[in-house]
Amino acid sequence: MSAETMRRVLIVGGVAGGASCAARLRRLDERADIHIFERGPHVSFANCGLPYYIGDVIPREEDLLVAGPQIFEKRFRIHVHANTEAVAIDRAAGELRVRDLTTGGERSERFDHLVLSPGASPIRPPLPGIDRPGIFTLRNIPDSVTIREWIAGRRAKSAVIVGGGFIGLEMAENLARRGLEVTVVEMLNQVMPPFDPEMAEYVAAELRAQGVRLALGDGVAAFEEGPGGNILVKTASGAEYAGDMVVLSIGVRPDTALAKAAGLELGPRGGIKTDDQMRTSDPRIFAIGDAVEVRDWVTGAPVLIPLAGPANRQGRIAADALCGRDSKFRGTQGTAICGIFELQAAATGASEKALRRAEFTDFETLALHPNNHAGYYPGAEKIHMKIIFRTSDGLLLGAQAVGRAGVDRRIDVIAALIQKHGTVFDLEESELCYAPQFGTAKDAINFAGMAAANVLRGDVALAHWHEPAQEGTLFLDVRSPEEFAGGHVAGALNIPLETLRDRLTEIPAGADIRAYCAVGIRGYLATRVLFQNGIPARNLSGGFHSAPAKMRA
Amino acid sequence: MSAETMRRVLIVGGVAGGASCAARLRRLDERADIHIFERGPHVSFANCGLPYYIGDVIPREEDLLVAGPQIFEKRFRIHVHANTEAVAIDRAAGELRVRDLTTGGERSERFDHLVLSPGASPIRPPLPGIDRPGIFTLRNIPDSVTIREWIAGRRAKSAVIVGGGFIGLEMAENLARRGLEVTVVEMLNQVMPPFDPEMAEYVAAELRAQGVRLALGDGVAAFEEGPGGNILVKTASGAEYAGDMVVLSIGVRPDTALAKAAGLELGPRGGIKTDDQMRTSDPRIFAIGDAVEVRDWVTGAPVLIPLAGPANRQGRIAADALCGRDSKFRGTQGTAICGIFELQAAATGASEKALRRAEFTDFETLALHPNNHAGYYPGAEKIHMKIIFRTSDGLLLGAQAVGRAGVDRRIDVIAALIQKHGTVFDLEESELCYAPQFGTAKDAINFAGMAAANVLRGDVALAHWHEPAQEGTLFLDVRSPEEFAGGHVAGALNIPLETLRDRLTEIPAGADIRAYCAVGIRGYLATRVLFQNGIPARNLSGGFHSAPAKMRA
């Protein structure tokens, strides 16, 4: 083997993307000289498991080590340089400057190709008191060990989580599981920012039911020392929340310093810019993972989506590209799931608010609450679903779901269909696993498709709960008198579906009729009866189950 | 409304398809005069729940009634004629002859359109003794009540199930749950006929572990009275199995008598033939559900697939067609799932044996055993998967999976991709829900796609366990010596992957090398090392986990 073909590939960062890239490269090229430089002590660790290690769900630190350096060395002949930080790239010389964090010594490493997989850092806003002891972020195993030690050493009994995103809520659950009183402070008016607010509300309700205090719509202003030596989190609204510890989970920022200093191009969102083979503006340098800007599969916009799955995939693609293959990264759908106590909350594709922010208007949304499996089989649970689709052609744009079971499965099916440019008409025709303990003969997915297709075919017009009532708006409750008595929309007229055909004359002419039932099915039937009798009416998406608390009487 | 436009639509059969058709028709046509004729006492009952009612999982008979006649009458103004059998169709006169099974009286009902949804009957083979008391089939609620009464009245302690398909195994589980000793007699050498034999073996193992006796590869020859007054099931092989009751679940036969007598065309498989709008050879008559022949989505062949989901969909399509809409039935993938004690077994698309039977050769299969969620999160379970794909272009043809969790979800994703003509390359790129308790960053689906794509890209060649060894075959076990000592293929050479690069000279030149590890990953790595060193080798699909018992030493 000549030295020429034995190319030297250096990989900066050895967690998800970097480790995948290195292993794939070895499989494709037995001769390459492959080195991973990792700032931390561990390569290929399970960063998604950190909150659960803190929560004692994952019992041992070593459980988090997916593949140790020995595996890389022996199985793949990949050289792992842990505790070694990449500090500069000399593109002209083809050299990476690295620092051994144990000794402080620096050296230069020659490369033919360089793959940057530096990840993203938890944001630590420059607030007064931010450097007080007991204010943590969570990125790696040492962080989680530090948090565990703090909890044990201080016998922590309370915590304030700043930021109600996925990691914040996973931390809230895990600290609550360890018996801490937990407060989540979130600047937005909702938890789970990738979700639309009405869907996030199910998650908020579960958190509250589990004893987690939520302070929504309020930003942190400062951290001070509390009376008992704990930390006082002061907010913009003037509120104060005390905790024996604080976890910052506001979000992450791509680690682009190295790339930027080397003059590599960044994208509009501040991530490293690459082509669809993960090549940066320097063709010898690739970049993958959370530091990279990707194309949103649905909107086409450049986005930063820090997720492990896409990072792994990008690692493979960079390795393929290094070997002259034409693999391409298709973009990211942002498919994600979060467990919150007994709930599963998952999403894929675009949210309604993301579409509105992008001033995209050619879409409709649909709320529904189907069972995860046949209602007649014990243990059925409702799945609260929202699907978003293009009005002009039914293209699936996004979906969100929250429930106690079967949420992952339905979002995965929709994710697969979005990947294949599927439409709501495809949801109608999906043929999915059915036995009474696993689904319904018309699956939640089919229901979503039928209801959406009915809209697009003009068989039903939808109304939405967030539409303000206007002059002439009539909320028509078509449930039974018993259901109506148990709670209804203020001012609604109750005409049960079963009697509607005989009571058409009670409906005022020219009204803006918004029919609703419990979940939307009888409401749909009612609008069909009305429509065929010459009375235009719309069905309130999701039925009374989707009605905001403030509208209920 | 003139009488002319108030058309009269009669529907024969009021369970899945018939009920869906009637309700959809009402939604589309408020004026139609719609009648359902149902031979049994119930319309729209949960036939898939019957085994679980027998097993006391579903506690009450009324739980099985999805929608009673009152719902049909009041909500939909659909007239339900229960206990009323359709006995003849007079196509020329446009009349259906029906018999009231309570009174025995007959009458004729005029129709503009007729929809046949007669279903399929459990097969009762004309064997000696078949009419003995205590030999049951299971089709409707009265059948399940009869079986429950027999168990209670006879204090049944044992049962023989004839037929190891889905319903037979559901009955086996439910009778075992009630404390009966259960024997399943199945003519094939495997349970679960839609599955390939090596996948069905996981199900058989679970049945045996739960105490169910399996008599495979043996057909029933006769039923006799046993010594204690119980039933003696005599088989072709000469074996005898005694039970206090027998359940026949050999399969079902489409109820085509009515259609046939009326001269409607049947298909090559003996079901009623329809076009893709469910119209029979008489354009005024539609047929849907288990009695109808459909097109297999994957092979294009005419098939009989008695499943609730497609029946419901066909009902909707027939109603659409009746209203001049252009909805079409796309065919059936045969997606199905069965719970067997703690296992889930699911499949979609074509099986390997179905493809071989059709003499289709352009396909490859892949076995794998990924975890349902991250191995580092407690409670991970293996999913035994098999995917089948077209060699020429990677088109997904079918998939089967068995495991304790997450099986439904993976088969549903593949079902959705098969629906959209997806390929194994799509599996590679699927972006699915991941958090450690819900999946892996590279999901089982991604693993399947990567492994299959590696085959199609020529990066690895697969060997299969069912391939007979030949002169020069070398089984190369690349696991650790400890794993090797715990069980291996008879005659295998053990060279752990980690030492393979240094021990290439130990491999005999020109051998037919079949490498294997535990599940196929290290085996793949080994073939890459070998291949790049000029040594052709194949990876045994599924690894040692897929090795048949007879090959193990």
Side-chain angles (χ1 to χ4, degrees):
Chain A
M1 198 86 240
S2 74
E4 201 173 26
T5 57
M6 221 165 84
R7 55 185 168 167
R8 196 156 202 265
V9 180
L10 308 187
I11 298 173
V12 176
V15 192
S20 289
C21 181
R24 172 78 173 166
L25 182 58
R26 170 57 71 229
R27 291 194 293 271
L28 297 180
D29 184 354
E30 185 67 12
R31 266 88 190 163
D33 181 24
I34 308 172
H35 297 257
I36 294 177
F37 299 90
E38 168 57 43
R39 178 174 26 204
H42 308 291
V43 286
S44 198
F45 69 89
N47 46 1
C48 303
L50 299 176
Y52 300 94
Y53 172 53
I54 292 169
D56 280 342
V57 176
I58 296 173
R60 288 173 307 268
E61 184 181 334
E62 58 264 35
D63 294 333
L64 296 169
L65 301 173
V66 177
Q70 300 85 340
I71 294 259
F72 281 92
E73 295 280 355
K74 290 198 170 167
R75 193 171 285 177
F76 293 102
R77 305 239 163 143
I78 291 166
H79 309 289
V80 173
H81 309 260
N83 299 306
T84 304
E85 187 172 18
V87 293
I89 304 166
D90 185 338
R91 289 165 55 192
E95 286 185 350
L96 179 71
R97 188 84 185 152
V98 301
R99 180 184 297 138
D100 183 326
L101 295 177
T102 319
T103 65
E106 289 194 4
R107 66 183 191 274
S108 286
E109 297 271 2
R110 186 189 67 76
F111 65 80
D112 296 305
H113 284 287
L114 182 63
V115 179
L116 302 178
S117 180
S121 309
I123 294 171
R124 277 188 89 93
L127 294 169
I130 186 78
D131 293 324
R132 303 193 68 79
I135 303 179
F136 304 102
T137 55
L138 180 62
R139 181 179 189 175
N140 52 32
I141 294 178
D143 292 341
S144 61
V145 171
T146 305
I147 292 174
R148 287 181 62 90
E149 287 172 355
W150 181 273
I151 295 171
R154 304 288 174 123
R155 300 179 190 278
K157 295 198 170 35
S158 60
V160 179
I161 313 278
V162 183
F166 284 37
I167 295 173
L169 298 189
E170 287 178 346
M171 280 305 302
E173 174 185 337
N174 279 289
L175 292 177
R177 181 180 286 127
R178 294 201 48 178
L180 279 74
E181 277 192 17
V182 177
T183 304
V184 176
V185 180
E186 163 60 53
M187 199 174 319
L188 294 179
N189 260 316
Q190 64 168 84
V191 293
M192 303 270 277
F195 282 63
D196 286 319
E198 79 278 16
M199 297 301 293
E201 190 47 50
Y202 296 108
V203 176
E206 172 76 5
L207 287 161
R208 290 189 192 104
Q210 298 279 356
V212 173
R213 180 160 60 163
L214 296 183
L216 302 181
D218 203 358
V220 173
F223 302 94
E224 295 183 1
E225 182 167 344
N230 59 5
I231 303 162
L232 214 53
V233 179
K234 298 197 145 194
T235 69
S237 77
E240 291 183 352
Y241 303 98
D244 295 327
M245 59 184 289
V246 170
V247 180
L248 297 172
S249 52
I250 303 169
V252 295
R253 190 174 283 136
D255 271 342
T256 55
L258 188 69
K260 205 169 163 182
L264 297 178
E265 206 176 326
L266 302 188
R269 302 295 304 273
I272 303 172
K273 192 173 175 177
T274 73
D275 66 11
D276 57 9
Q277 291 204 296
M278 312 316 297
R279 204 176 278 107
T280 67
S281 51
D282 182 331
R284 289 202 300 176
I285 305 178
F286 292 74
I288 57 180
D290 295 357
V292 165
E293 243 172 67
V294 295
R295 199 173 60 84
D296 183 294
W297 177 250
V298 173
T299 66
V303 283
L304 293 167
I305 298 188
L307 288 171
N312 284 323
R313 174 107 191 101
Q314 291 162 11
R316 285 172 66 85
I317 287 167
D320 282 3
L322 278 168
C323 296
R325 299 190 172 208
D326 68 351
S327 312
K328 290 185 170 62
F329 188 67
R330 68 177 177 93
T332 303
Q333 292 173 217
T335 309
I337 189 166
C338 188
I340 303 106
F341 296 98
E342 299 303 312
L343 276 192
Q344 314 175 347
T348 187
S351 63
E352 179 176 0
K353 64 184 184 183
L355 293 175
R356 291 198 187 283
R357 218 159 32 219
E359 298 183 2
F360 187 85
T361 56
D362 179 18
F363 73 89
E364 178 60 285
T365 75
L366 178 81
L368 66 164
H369 310 274
N371 282 333
N372 71 320
H373 67 59
Y376 63 81
Y377 192 93
E381 297 279 358
K382 279 209 184 314
I383 301 177
H384 306 292
M385 279 179 79
K386 175 177 187 170
I387 65 164
I388 307 169
F389 49 99
R390 203 150 70 186
T391 315
S392 50
D393 60 3
L395 187 78
L396 285 164
L397 301 174
Q400 297 160 48
V402 183
R404 283 166 205 279
V407 166
D408 47 358
R409 179 175 163 201
R410 271 55 179 217
I411 290 298
D412 273 357
V413 167
I414 297 178
L417 289 173
I418 287 179
Q419 177 185 353
K420 296 297 289 177
H421 308 290
T423 66
V424 298
F425 307 109
D426 293 314
L427 297 184
E428 271 192 298
E429 298 196 355
S430 288
E431 198 185 320
L432 304 174
C433 290
Y434 164 57
Q437 66 275 54
F438 297 111
T440 46
K442 288 175 193 150
D443 191 83
I445 289 289
N446 303 129
F447 268 119
M450 292 173 194
N454 285 338
V455 175
L456 296 186
R457 294 196 185 104
D459 293 330
V460 64
L462 290 183
H464 297 285
W465 289 101
H466 59 69
E467 283 178 58
Q470 57 190 31
E471 178 90 22
T473 293
L474 171 69
F475 288 96
L476 177 64
D477 187 321
V478 300
R479 298 174 303 160
S480 70
E482 295 72 29
E483 290 172 281
F484 187 81
H488 56 266
V489 171
L493 171 65
N494 181 218
I495 304 183
L497 171 62
E498 288 70 16
T499 63
L500 180 61
R501 290 175 179 90
D502 303 319
R503 295 174 61 182
L504 296 173
T505 53
E506 297 177 36
I507 296 171
D512 161 34
I513 301 171
R514 304 183 190 177
Y516 72 88
C517 58
V519 293
I521 297 175
R522 281 172 290 170
Y524 160 53
L525 299 177
T527 62
R528 291 300 302 160
V529 171
L530 293 171
F531 174 78
Q532 295 187 65
N533 281 285
I535 303 170
R538 291 183 297 155
N539 185 27
L540 270 158
S541 180
F544 194 63
H545 261 73
S546 289
K550 63 179 182 207
M551 294 182 71
R552 295 170 181 233
Chain B
M1 197 86 237
S2 74
E4 201 173 25
T5 57
M6 219 165 84
R7 56 190 167 161
R8 197 156 200 265
V9 180
L10 308 188
I11 298 173
V12 176
V15 192
S20 289
C21 181
R24 172 75 173 168
L25 183 58
R26 170 58 72 229
R27 291 193 294 272
L28 297 180
D29 184 353
E30 184 66 13
R31 264 90 190 159
D33 181 23
I34 308 172
H35 296 258
I36 295 177
F37 299 89
E38 169 57 42
R39 176 175 25 201
H42 308 292
V43 287
S44 198
F45 69 90
N47 46 1
C48 303
L50 299 177
Y52 300 94
Y53 171 53
I54 292 170
D56 280 342
V57 176
I58 296 173
R60 289 174 306 269
E61 184 180 334
E62 58 264 35
D63 294 333
L64 296 169
L65 302 173
V66 176
Q70 300 85 341
I71 296 257
F72 280 93
E73 294 280 355
K74 290 197 170 169
R75 193 172 284 178
F76 293 100
R77 304 239 163 143
I78 290 166
H79 308 290
V80 173
H81 308 260
N83 299 306
T84 304
E85 188 172 16
V87 293
I89 304 167
D90 184 338
R91 289 163 57 192
E95 285 185 350
L96 179 71
R97 187 84 186 153
V98 300
R99 180 184 300 138
D100 183 325
L101 295 177
T102 319
T103 65
E106 290 195 6
R107 67 185 191 273
S108 285
E109 298 270 359
R110 187 188 67 77
F111 65 80
D112 295 305
H113 285 286
L114 182 62
V115 179
L116 302 178
S117 180
S121 309
I123 294 172
R124 276 187 90 94
L127 294 170
I130 185 78
D131 292 323
R132 301 193 69 80
I135 303 179
F136 303 101
T137 55
L138 180 62
R139 181 179 189 177
N140 53 31
I141 294 177
D143 292 340
S144 61
V145 171
T146 305
I147 292 174
R148 286 180 62 89
E149 287 172 355
W150 181 273
I151 294 171
R154 302 290 174 120
R155 299 178 192 278
K157 295 197 171 37
S158 60
V160 179
I161 313 279
V162 183
F166 285 36
I167 295 173
L169 298 189
E170 287 177 347
M171 280 306 301
E173 174 185 338
N174 279 289
L175 293 177
R177 181 182 285 126
R178 293 201 49 179
L180 278 74
E181 276 192 18
V182 177
T183 304
V184 176
V185 181
E186 164 61 51
M187 200 175 320
L188 294 179
N189 260 317
Q190 64 167 86
V191 294
M192 303 271 276
F195 282 63
D196 286 320
E198 79 279 15
M199 297 302 293
E201 191 46 51
Y202 297 107
V203 175
E206 172 76 3
L207 287 161
R208 290 190 193 103
Q210 298 279 357
V212 173
R213 179 161 60 164
L214 297 183
L216 302 181
D218 204 358
V220 173
F223 301 95
E224 296 183 0
E225 183 167 344
N230 59 6
I231 303 163
L232 212 53
V233 180
K234 297 198 146 194
T235 69
S237 77
E240 291 182 353
Y241 304 98
D244 295 327
M245 59 184 288
V246 170
V247 180
L248 296 172
S249 53
I250 302 169
V252 295
R253 190 173 283 137
D255 271 343
T256 55
L258 188 68
K260 206 169 161 182
L264 297 177
E265 205 176 326
L266 302 189
R269 302 295 303 273
I272 303 172
K273 192 172 177 179
T274 73
D275 65 12
D276 56 9
Q277 291 204 297
M278 312 316 298
R279 204 176 277 107
T280 67
S281 52
D282 182 331
R284 289 201 302 176
I285 304 178
F286 292 74
I288 58 179
D290 296 356
V292 166
E293 243 173 66
V294 295
R295 200 173 59 85
D296 183 292
W297 178 250
V298 173
T299 66
V303 283
L304 293 166
I305 298 188
L307 288 170
N312 283 324
R313 175 106 192 100
Q314 291 163 9
R316 285 172 67 85
I317 287 168
D320 282 4
L322 277 168
C323 296
R325 299 190 172 208
D326 68 351
S327 311
K328 289 186 169 61
F329 187 67
R330 68 177 177 91
T332 303
Q333 293 173 218
T335 309
I337 189 166
C338 188
I340 303 105
F341 296 98
E342 299 303 311
L343 277 191
Q344 314 175 345
T348 188
S351 64
E352 180 177 358
K353 64 184 184 183
L355 293 175
R356 292 199 188 283
R357 218 160 31 219
E359 297 182 3
F360 187 83
T361 56
D362 179 18
F363 72 90
E364 178 60 285
T365 74
L366 178 81
L368 66 166
H369 311 273
N371 282 332
N372 71 320
H373 66 59
Y376 63 81
Y377 192 94
E381 297 279 359
K382 280 210 185 310
I383 301 176
H384 306 291
M385 279 178 78
K386 175 176 187 171
I387 64 164
I388 306 169
F389 50 97
R390 204 152 67 186
T391 315
S392 50
D393 59 3
L395 186 78
L396 285 164
L397 300 174
Q400 297 160 48
V402 182
R404 284 168 203 279
V407 166
D408 47 357
R409 179 174 163 202
R410 272 55 178 218
I411 290 298
D412 273 357
V413 167
I414 296 179
L417 289 173
I418 287 179
Q419 178 186 353
K420 295 297 289 176
H421 307 289
T423 66
V424 298
F425 308 107
D426 292 314
L427 298 184
E428 270 192 300
E429 299 196 356
S430 288
E431 198 185 321
L432 304 174
C433 291
Y434 165 57
Q437 67 275 53
F438 297 111
T440 46
K442 287 175 193 149
D443 191 83
I445 289 288
N446 303 129
F447 268 118
M450 291 173 194
N454 285 337
V455 175
L456 297 186
R457 293 195 187 105
D459 293 331
V460 64
L462 290 183
H464 297 284
W465 289 102
H466 60 69
E467 284 178 58
Q470 55 190 32
E471 178 92 24
T473 293
L474 171 69
F475 288 96
L476 178 64
D477 188 320
V478 301
R479 299 174 302 159
S480 69
E482 295 72 31
E483 290 173 279
F484 186 81
H488 55 265
V489 171
L493 171 65
N494 181 219
I495 304 183
L497 171 62
E498 288 70 16
T499 62
L500 180 61
R501 290 175 180 89
D502 303 320
R503 296 175 61 183
L504 295 174
T505 53
E506 296 176 37
I507 295 171
D512 161 35
I513 301 172
R514 304 182 191 178
Y516 71 88
C517 58
V519 294
I521 296 175
R522 281 172 290 168
Y524 160 54
L525 300 177
T527 62
R528 290 301 301 160
V529 171
L530 294 171
F531 174 78
Q532 295 187 65
N533 282 285
I535 303 169
R538 292 182 297 155
N539 185 27
L540 270 159
S541 180
F544 194 63
H545 262 72
S546 289
K550 63 180 180 203
M551 294 182 71
R552 295 170 181 232

